[in-house]
Coordinates of all heavy atoms in Angstrom, one line a residue:
M1 N 0.8 -1.2 0.0 CA 0.0 0.0 0.0 C 0.9 1.2 0.0 O 1.9 1.3 0.7 CB -0.9 0.0 1.3 CG -1.8 1.2 1.4 SD -3.0 1.0 2.7 CE -2.9 2.6 3.4
T2 N 0.5 2.2 -0.8 CA 1.2 3.5 -0.7 C 0.7 4.2 0.5 O -0.2 3.7 1.3 CB 0.8 4.4 -2.0 OG1 -0.6 4.6 -2.0 CG2 1.3 3.7 -3.2
D3 N 1.2 5.4 0.8 CA 0.9 6.1 2.0 C -0.6 6.4 2.1 O -1.2 6.4 3.1 CB 1.7 7.4 2.2 CG 3.1 7.2 2.5 OD1 3.4 6.0 3.0 OD2 3.9 8.1 2.4
V4 N -1.2 6.8 0.9 CA -2.7 7.1 0.9 C -3.2 6.4 -0.4 O -2.7 6.6 -1.5 CB -2.9 8.6 0.8 CG1 -4.4 8.9 0.7 CG2 -2.3 9.3 2.0
E5 N -4.3 5.7 -0.2 CA -5.0 5.1 -1.4 C -6.4 5.6 -1.4 O -7.1 5.8 -0.4 CB -5.1 3.5 -1.2 CG -3.8 2.8 -1.4 CD -4.0 1.3 -1.3 OE1 -5.2 0.8 -1.3 OE2 -3.0 0.6 -1.2
R6 N -6.8 5.9 -2.7 CA -8.2 6.3 -2.9 C -9.0 5.1 -3.2 O -8.7 4.3 -4.1 CB -8.3 7.3 -4.0 CG -9.7 7.9 -4.2 CD -9.7 9.0 -5.2 NE -11.1 9.5 -5.3 CZ -11.5 10.3 -6.2 NH1 -10.6 10.7 -7.1 NH2 -12.7 10.7 -6.3
R7 N -10.2 4.9 -2.5 CA -11.1 3.9 -2.8 C -12.5 4.5 -3.0 O -13.2 4.7 -2.0 CB -11.1 2.9 -1.7 CG -9.8 2.1 -1.5 CD -9.8 1.1 -0.4 NE -8.5 0.5 -0.2 CZ -8.2 -0.2 0.8 NH1 -9.1 -0.5 1.8 NH2 -7.0 -0.7 0.9
G8 N -12.8 4.8 -4.2 CA -14.1 5.4 -4.5 C -14.0 6.8 -4.0 O -13.2 7.6 -4.3
N9 N -15.0 7.1 -3.1 CA -15.1 8.5 -2.5 C -14.3 8.5 -1.1 O -14.5 9.5 -0.4 CB -16.5 8.9 -2.3 CG -17.2 9.1 -3.6 OD1 -16.6 9.5 -4.5 ND2 -18.5 8.8 -3.6
Q10 N -13.6 7.5 -0.8 CA -12.9 7.5 0.5 C -11.4 7.3 0.2 O -10.9 6.9 -0.8 CB -13.3 6.3 1.3 CG -14.8 6.3 1.7 CD -15.2 5.1 2.5 OE1 -14.5 4.2 2.7 NE2 -16.4 5.2 3.1
F11 N -10.6 7.7 1.3 CA -9.2 7.6 1.3 C -8.8 6.7 2.4 O -9.4 6.8 3.5 CB -8.5 8.9 1.4 CG -8.6 9.8 0.2 CD1 -9.7 10.7 0.1 CD2 -7.7 9.7 -0.9 CE1 -9.9 11.5 -1.0 CE2 -7.9 10.5 -2.0 CZ -9.0 11.4 -2.1
V12 N -7.8 5.8 2.2 CA -7.3 5.0 3.3 C -5.8 5.4 3.5 O -5.0 5.4 2.5 CB -7.3 3.5 2.9 CG1 -6.7 2.7 4.0 CG2 -8.8 3.1 2.6
V13 N -5.5 5.8 4.7 CA -4.1 6.3 5.0 C -3.4 5.2 5.8 O -3.9 4.6 6.7 CB -4.2 7.6 5.9 CG1 -2.8 8.1 6.2 CG2 -5.0 8.7 5.1
D14 N -2.2 5.0 5.4 CA -1.4 4.0 6.0 C -1.2 4.3 7.5 O -0.9 5.5 7.8 CB 0.0 3.9 5.3 CG 0.9 2.8 5.8 OD1 0.9 2.5 7.0 OD2 1.6 2.2 5.0
A15 N -1.4 3.4 8.4 CA -1.3 3.6 9.8 C 0.1 4.2 10.2 O 0.2 4.9 11.2 CB -1.6 2.4 10.6
L16 N 1.1 3.8 9.5 CA 2.4 4.3 9.8 C 2.5 5.8 9.7 O 3.2 6.5 10.5 CB 3.5 3.6 8.9 CG 4.9 4.0 9.2 CD1 5.3 3.6 10.6 CD2 5.8 3.2 8.2
V17 N 1.8 6.4 8.7 CA 1.8 7.9 8.6 C 1.2 8.5 9.8 O 1.8 9.5 10.3 CB 1.0 8.3 7.3 CG1 0.8 9.8 7.2 CG2 1.6 7.7 6.0
L18 N 0.1 8.0 10.3 CA -0.5 8.5 11.5 C 0.3 8.2 12.7 O 0.5 9.1 13.6 CB -1.9 7.9 11.7 CG -2.9 8.2 10.6 CD1 -4.2 7.4 10.9 CD2 -3.1 9.6 10.4
A19 N 0.9 7.1 12.8 CA 1.7 6.7 14.0 C 2.9 7.6 14.1 O 3.2 8.1 15.2 CB 2.2 5.2 13.8
D20 N 3.6 7.9 13.0 CA 4.7 8.9 13.0 C 4.2 10.3 13.5 O 4.9 10.9 14.3 CB 5.3 9.0 11.6 CG 6.2 7.8 11.3 OD1 6.5 7.0 12.2 OD2 6.5 7.6 10.1
A21 N 3.1 10.7 13.0 CA 2.6 12.1 13.3 C 2.3 12.2 14.8 O 2.5 13.3 15.4 CB 1.4 12.4 12.4
F22 N 1.7 11.1 15.4 CA 1.2 11.2 16.7 C 2.1 10.5 17.7 O 1.8 10.3 18.9 CB -0.2 10.6 16.8 CG -1.2 11.5 16.0 CD1 -2.0 10.9 15.0 CD2 -1.3 12.8 16.2 CE1 -2.9 11.6 14.3 CE2 -2.2 13.6 15.5 CZ -3.0 13.0 14.5
D23 N 3.3 10.0 17.3 CA 4.3 9.4 18.1 C 3.7 8.1 18.8 O 3.8 8.0 20.0 CB 4.9 10.3 19.1 CG 6.2 9.8 19.8 OD1 6.9 9.0 19.1 OD2 6.5 10.2 20.9
L24 N 3.0 7.3 18.0 CA 2.4 6.1 18.5 C 3.0 4.9 17.7 O 3.5 5.1 16.6 CB 0.9 6.1 18.3 CG 0.1 7.2 19.0 CD1 -1.3 7.3 18.5 CD2 0.1 7.0 20.5
S25 N 2.8 3.7 18.2 CA 3.1 2.5 17.5 C 2.0 2.3 16.4 O 0.9 2.9 16.6 CB 3.2 1.3 18.3 OG 1.9 0.9 18.8
V26 N 2.2 1.5 15.4 CA 1.2 1.3 14.4 C 0.0 0.5 15.0 O -1.1 0.9 14.8 CB 1.8 0.5 13.2 CG1 0.7 0.0 12.3 CG2 2.8 1.3 12.4
E27 N 0.3 -0.4 15.9 CA -0.7 -1.2 16.6 C -1.6 -0.2 17.5 O -2.8 -0.3 17.4 CB -0.1 -2.2 17.5 CG -1.1 -3.1 18.2 CD -0.5 -4.2 19.1 OE1 0.4 -4.9 18.5 OE2 -0.9 -4.3 20.2
E28 N -1.0 0.7 18.2 CA -1.7 1.6 19.1 C -2.5 2.6 18.2 O -3.7 2.9 18.5 CB -0.8 2.4 20.0 CG -1.5 3.3 21.0 CD -2.4 2.5 22.0 OE1 -2.2 1.3 22.2 OE2 -3.3 3.2 22.5
T29 N -2.0 3.0 17.1 CA -2.7 3.9 16.2 C -4.0 3.2 15.7 O -5.1 3.8 15.7 CB -1.8 4.2 15.0 OG1 -0.7 4.9 15.5 CG2 -2.5 5.1 14.0
R30 N -3.9 2.0 15.2 CA -5.0 1.2 14.7 C -6.1 1.1 15.9 O -7.3 1.3 15.6 CB -4.6 -0.2 14.2 CG -3.9 -0.1 12.9 CD -3.6 -1.4 12.3 NE -3.0 -1.3 11.0 CZ -1.8 -1.9 10.7 NH1 -1.2 -2.6 11.5 NH2 -1.3 -1.7 9.5
H31 N -5.6 0.7 17.1 CA -6.5 0.6 18.2 C -7.3 1.9 18.5 O -8.5 1.9 18.7 CB -5.7 0.1 19.4 CG -6.5 0.0 20.7 ND1 -7.4 -1.0 20.9 CD2 -6.5 0.8 21.8 CE1 -8.0 -0.8 22.1 NE2 -7.4 0.3 22.6
R32 N -6.5 3.0 18.5 CA -7.2 4.3 18.8 C -8.1 4.8 17.6 O -9.1 5.4 17.9 CB -6.1 5.3 19.1 CG -5.4 5.0 20.4 CD -4.4 6.1 20.7 NE -3.6 5.6 21.9 CZ -2.9 6.4 22.7 NH1 -2.9 7.7 22.4 NH2 -2.3 6.0 23.8
M33 N -7.8 4.4 16.4 CA -8.7 4.7 15.3 C -10.0 4.0 15.5 O -11.1 4.5 15.3 CB -8.0 4.4 13.9 CG -7.0 5.4 13.4 SD -7.7 7.0 13.0 CE -8.7 6.6 11.6
Q34 N -9.9 2.7 15.7 CA -11.1 1.9 15.9 C -11.9 2.3 17.1 O -13.1 2.2 17.1 CB -10.7 0.4 16.0 CG -10.1 -0.2 14.8 CD -9.5 -1.5 15.0 OE1 -9.3 -2.0 16.1 NE2 -9.1 -2.2 13.8
G35 N -11.2 2.8 18.1 CA -11.9 3.2 19.3 C -12.4 4.7 19.3 O -13.0 5.2 20.2
G36 N -12.1 5.4 18.2 CA -12.6 6.7 18.0 C -11.8 7.8 18.7 O -12.2 9.0 18.7
Q37 N -10.6 7.4 19.2 CA -9.8 8.4 19.9 C -9.0 9.3 18.9 O -8.4 10.3 19.2 CB -8.8 7.8 20.8 CG -9.6 7.2 22.0 CD -9.2 5.7 22.2 OE1 -8.7 5.0 21.4 NE2 -9.5 5.2 23.4
I38 N -8.9 8.8 17.6 CA -8.3 9.6 16.6 C -9.4 10.0 15.6 O -10.0 9.1 15.0 CB -7.2 8.9 15.8 CG1 -6.0 8.5 16.8 CG2 -6.7 9.7 14.6 CD1 -4.9 7.7 16.2
A39 N -9.7 11.2 15.5 CA -10.8 11.7 14.7 C -10.3 12.1 13.3 O -9.1 12.5 13.2 CB -11.5 12.9 15.4
S40 N -11.1 12.0 12.3 CA -10.7 12.3 11.0 C -11.8 13.1 10.3 O -13.0 13.1 10.6 CB -10.4 11.1 10.1 OG -11.5 10.3 10.0
L41 N -11.3 13.9 9.3 CA -12.2 14.8 8.5 C -11.7 14.8 7.1 O -10.4 15.0 6.9 CB -12.3 16.2 9.1 CG -13.0 17.3 8.3 CD1 -14.5 16.9 8.3 CD2 -12.8 18.6 8.9
C42 N -12.5 14.6 6.1 CA -12.1 14.7 4.7 C -12.9 15.8 4.0 O -14.1 15.8 4.1 CB -12.4 13.4 4.0 SG -12.0 13.4 2.2
E43 N -12.2 16.8 3.4 CA -12.8 17.9 2.8 C -12.4 17.9 1.3 O -11.2 17.8 1.0 CB -12.4 19.2 3.4 CG -12.8 19.3 4.9 CD -12.1 20.5 5.6 OE1 -10.9 20.3 6.0 OE2 -12.8 21.5 5.8
T44 N -13.4 18.1 0.4 CA -13.1 18.2 -1.0 C -12.8 19.6 -1.5 O -13.6 20.5 -1.1 CB -14.4 17.7 -1.7 OG1 -14.7 16.4 -1.3 CG2 -14.1 17.6 -3.2
G45 N -11.8 19.7 -2.2 CA -11.4 21.0 -2.7 C -12.4 21.5 -3.8 O -12.9 20.8 -4.5
E46 N -12.5 22.8 -3.8 CA -13.4 23.5 -4.8 C -12.6 24.6 -5.5 O -11.6 25.1 -5.0 CB -14.7 24.1 -4.1 CG -15.5 23.0 -3.4 CD -16.7 23.6 -2.7 OE1 -16.9 24.8 -2.7 OE2 -17.5 22.8 -2.2
G47 N -13.2 25.0 -6.7 CA -12.5 26.1 -7.4 C -11.1 25.7 -7.8 O -10.9 24.6 -8.4
E48 N -10.1 26.5 -7.5 CA -8.8 26.2 -7.9 C -8.2 25.0 -7.1 O -7.2 24.5 -7.5 CB -7.9 27.4 -7.7 CG -7.6 27.9 -6.3 CD -6.7 29.1 -6.2 OE1 -6.9 30.1 -6.9 OE2 -5.8 29.0 -5.4
D49 N -8.9 24.6 -6.1 CA -8.4 23.4 -5.4 C -9.2 22.1 -5.8 O -9.0 21.0 -5.2 CB -8.6 23.6 -3.9 CG -7.7 24.6 -3.3 OD1 -6.5 24.6 -3.7 OD2 -8.1 25.4 -2.5
A50 N -10.0 22.2 -6.8 CA -10.7 21.0 -7.3 C -9.7 20.0 -7.7 O -8.6 20.3 -8.2 CB -11.6 21.4 -8.6
G51 N -10.0 18.7 -7.4 CA -9.1 17.6 -7.7 C -8.2 17.4 -6.5 O -7.3 16.5 -6.6
R52 N -8.4 18.1 -5.4 CA -7.5 17.9 -4.2 C -8.4 17.7 -3.0 O -9.6 18.1 -3.0 CB -6.7 19.1 -3.9 CG -5.7 19.4 -5.0 CD -4.9 20.6 -4.6 NE -3.9 20.9 -5.7 CZ -3.1 21.9 -5.7 NH1 -3.1 22.8 -4.7 NH2 -2.3 22.1 -6.7
W53 N -7.9 17.0 -2.0 CA -8.7 16.7 -0.8 C -7.8 17.1 0.4 O -6.6 16.9 0.3 CB -9.1 15.3 -0.7 CG -10.2 14.9 -1.7 CD1 -11.5 14.8 -1.4 CD2 -10.1 14.6 -3.1 NE1 -12.2 14.5 -2.5 CE2 -11.4 14.4 -3.5 CE3 -9.0 14.6 -4.0 CZ2 -11.6 14.1 -4.9 CZ3 -9.3 14.3 -5.3 CH2 -10.6 14.1 -5.7
R54 N -8.4 17.6 1.4 CA -7.7 17.8 2.7 C -8.2 16.8 3.7 O -9.3 16.7 4.0 CB -8.0 19.3 3.2 CG -7.3 19.6 4.4 CD -7.4 21.1 4.7 NE -8.7 21.6 4.8 CZ -9.0 22.9 4.7 NH1 -8.1 23.8 4.6 NH2 -10.3 23.2 4.8
L55 N -7.2 16.0 4.2 CA -7.5 15.0 5.2 C -6.9 15.4 6.5 O -5.7 15.7 6.6 CB -6.9 13.6 4.7 CG -7.1 13.2 3.3 CD1 -6.4 11.9 3.0 CD2 -8.6 13.0 3.0
T56 N -7.7 15.6 7.5 CA -7.2 16.1 8.8 C -7.5 15.0 9.9 O -8.6 14.5 9.9 CB -7.9 17.4 9.2 OG1 -7.7 18.3 8.1 CG2 -7.3 18.0 10.5
F57 N -6.5 14.7 10.6 CA -6.6 13.8 11.7 C -6.3 14.5 13.0 O -5.3 15.2 13.1 CB -5.7 12.6 11.5 CG -6.0 11.8 10.3 CD1 -5.4 12.2 9.1 CD2 -6.8 10.7 10.3 CE1 -5.7 11.5 7.9 CE2 -7.1 10.0 9.1 CZ -6.5 10.4 7.9
R58 N -7.1 14.3 14.1 CA -6.8 14.9 15.4 C -6.7 13.8 16.5 O -7.4 12.9 16.5 CB -8.0 15.8 15.8 CG -8.1 17.0 15.0 CD -9.3 17.8 15.4 NE -9.4 19.1 14.7 CZ -9.6 20.2 15.4 NH1 -9.8 20.2 16.7 NH2 -9.5 21.3 14.7
H59 N -5.7 14.1 17.3 CA -5.5 13.2 18.5 C -4.7 13.9 19.6 O -3.7 14.5 19.4 CB -4.6 12.0 18.0 CG -4.3 11.0 19.1 ND1 -5.3 10.3 19.8 CD2 -3.1 10.7 19.7 CE1 -4.7 9.6 20.7 NE2 -3.4 9.8 20.7
Q60 N -5.3 14.0 20.7 CA -4.7 14.5 22.0 C -4.0 15.8 21.7 O -2.8 16.0 22.1 CB -3.8 13.5 22.6 CG -4.5 12.3 23.1 CD -3.6 11.3 23.9 OE1 -2.4 11.4 23.8 NE2 -4.2 10.4 24.6
G61 N -4.7 16.8 21.2 CA -4.2 18.2 21.1 C -3.3 18.4 19.9 O -2.6 19.4 19.8
R62 N -3.2 17.4 19.0 CA -2.3 17.5 17.8 C -3.2 17.2 16.6 O -4.1 16.4 16.6 CB -1.1 16.5 17.8 CG -0.2 16.7 18.9 CD 0.9 17.8 18.8 NE 1.6 17.8 17.5 CZ 2.1 18.9 17.0 NH1 2.0 20.0 17.7 NH2 2.8 18.8 15.9
A63 N -2.8 17.8 15.4 CA -3.5 17.5 14.2 C -2.4 17.2 13.1 O -1.3 17.7 13.1 CB -4.3 18.7 13.7
L64 N -2.8 16.3 12.2 CA -2.0 16.0 11.0 C -2.9 16.3 9.9 O -4.1 15.9 9.8 CB -1.7 14.5 11.0 CG -1.2 14.0 9.6 CD1 0.1 14.6 9.2 CD2 -1.1 12.4 9.6
R65 N -2.4 17.1 9.0 CA -3.2 17.5 7.8 C -2.4 17.1 6.5 O -1.3 17.4 6.4 CB -3.4 19.0 7.7 CG -4.2 19.4 6.5 CD -4.8 20.8 6.6 NE -5.9 20.8 7.6 CZ -6.2 21.8 8.3 NH1 -5.5 23.0 8.2 NH2 -7.1 21.8 9.2
L66 N -3.1 16.3 5.7 CA -2.6 15.9 4.4 C -3.4 16.5 3.3 O -4.6 16.5 3.3 CB -2.6 14.4 4.3 CG -2.0 13.5 5.4 CD1 -2.3 12.1 5.2 CD2 -0.5 13.8 5.4
I67 N -2.7 17.0 2.3 CA -3.4 17.5 1.0 C -3.0 16.4 0.0 O -1.8 16.1 -0.2 CB -2.9 18.9 0.6 CG1 -3.0 19.9 1.7 CG2 -3.6 19.3 -0.7 CD1 -4.4 20.1 2.2
V68 N -4.0 15.8 -0.6 CA -3.8 14.7 -1.6 C -4.5 15.0 -2.9 O -5.5 15.8 -2.9 CB -4.3 13.4 -1.0 CG1 -3.5 13.0 0.3 CG2 -5.8 13.3 -0.8
D69 N -4.0 14.4 -3.9 CA -4.7 14.5 -5.2 C -5.5 13.3 -5.5 O -5.7 12.4 -4.7 CB -3.6 14.7 -6.3 CG -2.7 13.5 -6.6 OD1 -3.0 12.4 -6.1 OD2 -1.7 13.7 -7.3
R70 N -6.1 13.2 -6.7 CA -7.0 12.1 -7.1 C -6.4 10.7 -6.9 O -7.1 9.8 -6.6 CB -7.4 12.3 -8.6 CG -8.3 13.4 -8.9 CD -8.7 13.4 -10.4 NE -9.7 14.4 -10.6 CZ -9.5 15.7 -10.9 NH1 -8.3 16.1 -10.9 NH2 -10.5 16.5 -11.0
R71 N -5.1 10.6 -7.1 CA -4.5 9.3 -7.0 C -4.1 9.0 -5.5 O -3.6 7.9 -5.2 CB -3.2 9.3 -7.8 CG -3.5 9.4 -9.3 CD -2.2 9.6 -10.1 NE -1.6 10.9 -9.5 CZ -0.5 11.4 -9.9 NH1 0.2 10.8 -10.8 NH2 0.0 12.5 -9.3
G72 N -4.3 10.0 -4.6 CA -3.9 9.8 -3.2 C -2.4 10.2 -3.0 O -1.9 10.0 -1.9
E73 N -1.8 10.8 -4.0 CA -0.4 11.3 -3.8 C -0.5 12.5 -2.8 O -1.3 13.4 -2.9 CB 0.2 11.7 -5.1 CG 1.6 12.2 -4.9 CD 2.3 12.6 -6.2 OE1 1.9 12.1 -7.3 OE2 3.2 13.4 -6.2
I74 N 0.4 12.4 -1.8 CA 0.5 13.5 -0.8 C 1.2 14.7 -1.4 O 2.3 14.7 -1.8 CB 1.2 13.1 0.5 CG1 0.4 11.9 1.1 CG2 1.4 14.2 1.4 CD1 1.1 11.3 2.3
L75 N 0.4 15.8 -1.5 CA 1.0 17.1 -2.1 C 1.5 18.0 -1.0 O 2.3 18.8 -1.2 CB -0.1 17.8 -2.9 CG -0.8 17.0 -4.0 CD1 -1.9 17.8 -4.6 CD2 0.3 16.6 -5.0
G76 N 0.9 17.8 0.2 CA 1.4 18.7 1.4 C 1.1 17.9 2.7 O 0.1 17.1 2.7
K77 N 1.9 18.2 3.7 CA 1.7 17.5 5.0 C 2.2 18.4 6.1 O 3.2 19.1 6.0 CB 2.6 16.2 5.0 CG 2.6 15.4 6.2 CD 3.5 14.2 6.0 CE 3.6 13.3 7.2 NZ 4.4 12.1 7.0
S78 N 1.3 18.6 7.1 CA 1.7 19.4 8.2 C 1.1 18.8 9.5 O 0.1 18.1 9.5 CB 1.2 20.8 8.0 OG -0.2 20.9 7.9
T79 N 1.8 19.1 10.6 CA 1.3 18.8 11.9 C 1.3 20.1 12.8 O 2.1 20.9 12.6 CB 2.1 17.7 12.6 OG1 3.5 18.2 12.7 CG2 2.1 16.4 11.9
F80 N 0.3 20.2 13.7 CA 0.2 21.4 14.5 C -0.6 21.1 15.7 O -1.4 20.2 15.7 CB -0.4 22.5 13.6 CG -1.6 22.2 12.9 CD1 -2.9 22.4 13.4 CD2 -1.5 21.6 11.6 CE1 -4.0 22.1 12.7 CE2 -2.7 21.3 10.9 CZ -3.9 21.5 11.5
P81 N -0.5 22.0 16.7 CA -1.3 21.8 17.9 C -2.7 22.3 17.7 O -2.9 23.2 16.9 CB -0.6 22.7 19.0 CG 0.2 23.7 18.2 CD 0.5 23.0 16.9
V82 N -3.7 21.7 18.3 CA -5.1 22.1 18.2 C -5.7 22.1 19.6 O -5.3 21.2 20.5 CB -5.9 21.2 17.3 CG1 -5.5 21.4 15.8 CG2 -5.9 19.8 17.7
G83 N -6.6 22.9 19.9 CA -7.3 22.9 21.1 C -8.4 21.8 21.2 O -8.7 21.2 20.1
H84 N -8.9 21.6 22.3 CA -10.0 20.6 22.5 C -11.2 21.2 21.7 O -11.6 22.3 21.9 CB -10.3 20.4 23.9 CG -11.2 19.3 24.2 ND1 -12.6 19.4 24.0 CD2 -11.0 18.0 24.7 CE1 -13.2 18.3 24.3 NE2 -12.3 17.4 24.7
P85 N -11.9 20.3 20.9 CA -13.1 20.8 20.1 C -14.2 21.4 21.0 O -15.0 22.2 20.5 CB -13.5 19.6 19.4 CG -12.9 18.4 20.0 CD -11.7 18.9 20.7
N86 N -14.3 21.0 22.3 CA -15.3 21.5 23.1 C -14.9 22.6 24.1 O -15.6 23.0 25.0 CB -16.0 20.4 23.9 CG -16.7 19.4 23.0 OD1 -17.3 19.8 22.0 ND2 -16.6 18.2 23.4
R87 N -13.6 23.1 23.9 CA -13.1 24.1 24.8 C -13.9 25.3 24.9 O -14.2 25.8 26.0 CB -11.6 24.4 24.4 CG -11.0 25.4 25.4 CD -9.5 25.5 25.4 NE -9.1 24.3 26.2 CZ -8.0 23.6 26.0 NH1 -7.2 23.9 25.0 NH2 -7.7 22.6 26.7
A88 N -14.4 25.9 23.8 CA -15.2 27.1 23.8 C -16.5 26.9 24.6 O -16.9 27.7 25.4 CB -15.5 27.6 22.4
A89 N -17.1 25.7 24.4 CA -18.3 25.4 25.1 C -18.1 25.2 26.6 O -18.9 25.6 27.5 CB -19.0 24.1 24.6
Q90 N -16.9 24.7 27.0 CA -16.5 24.5 28.4 C -16.3 25.8 29.1 O -16.5 25.9 30.3 CB -15.3 23.6 28.5 CG -15.5 22.2 28.1 CD -14.2 21.3 28.0 OE1 -13.2 21.9 28.0 NE2 -14.4 20.0 27.9
A91 N -15.9 26.8 28.4 CA -15.5 28.1 29.0 C -16.8 28.9 29.4 O -16.7 29.8 30.2 CB -14.7 28.9 28.0
R92 N -17.9 28.5 28.9 CA -19.2 29.2 29.2 C -19.7 28.9 30.6 O -19.5 28.0 31.2 CB -20.2 28.9 28.2 CG -19.9 29.4 26.8 CD -20.9 29.1 25.8 NE -20.4 29.4 24.5 CZ -21.1 29.1 23.4 NH1 -22.2 28.5 23.5 NH2 -20.6 29.4 22.3

């Protein structure tokens, strides 16, 4: 398997890519994905970004973002800190 494979309207990302980004073993990454502790979001590019997808994975205050093309080739990759998705609601 390449790092990212496109299967119809879905993308499958090699667990090693996520494991490296989140400093986990491949086994722990798979376990956390299945348990819902690693969240994912797939966004389709529009306009000048048509033919590209943004795949974002979140885990324990970190995010991995991949920009991929129709074949699943990674065009861009970044990791960055993120806040808890419910932090704004918790502050009220």
Side-chain angles (χ1 to χ4, degrees):
M1 177 171 140
T2 60
D3 287 345
V4 180
E5 287 184 12
R6 184 173 180 191
R7 296 184 184 166
N9 291 330
Q10 297 182 348
F11 291 90
V12 177
V13 179
D14 188 322
L16 184 58
V17 173
L18 301 176
D20 286 345
F22 297 125
D23 196 27
L24 300 168
S25 69
V26 170
E27 181 178 312
E28 185 64 21
T29 299
R30 288 185 177 126
H31 176 73
R32 292 183 186 199
M33 283 293 294
Q34 292 168 350
Q37 293 129 340
I38 297 176
S40 63
L41 174 66
C42 178
E43 300 170 278
T44 304
E46 297 179 0
E48 68 181 47
D49 291 318
R52 295 180 183 178
W53 287 261
R54 182 168 55 197
L55 312 177
T56 305
F57 299 86
R58 290 177 172 231
H59 177 64
Q60 293 186 345
R62 300 279 310 154
L64 166 66
R65 178 163 293 150
L66 303 173
I67 307 299
V68 300
D69 66 12
R70 286 181 173 90
R71 298 170 301 179
E73 182 177 335
I74 297 174
L75 305 174
K77 179 178 180 179
S78 60
T79 57
F80 49 92
V82 292
H84 189 282
N86 295 326
R87 180 160 280 148
Q90 292 172 347
R92 294 180 190 173

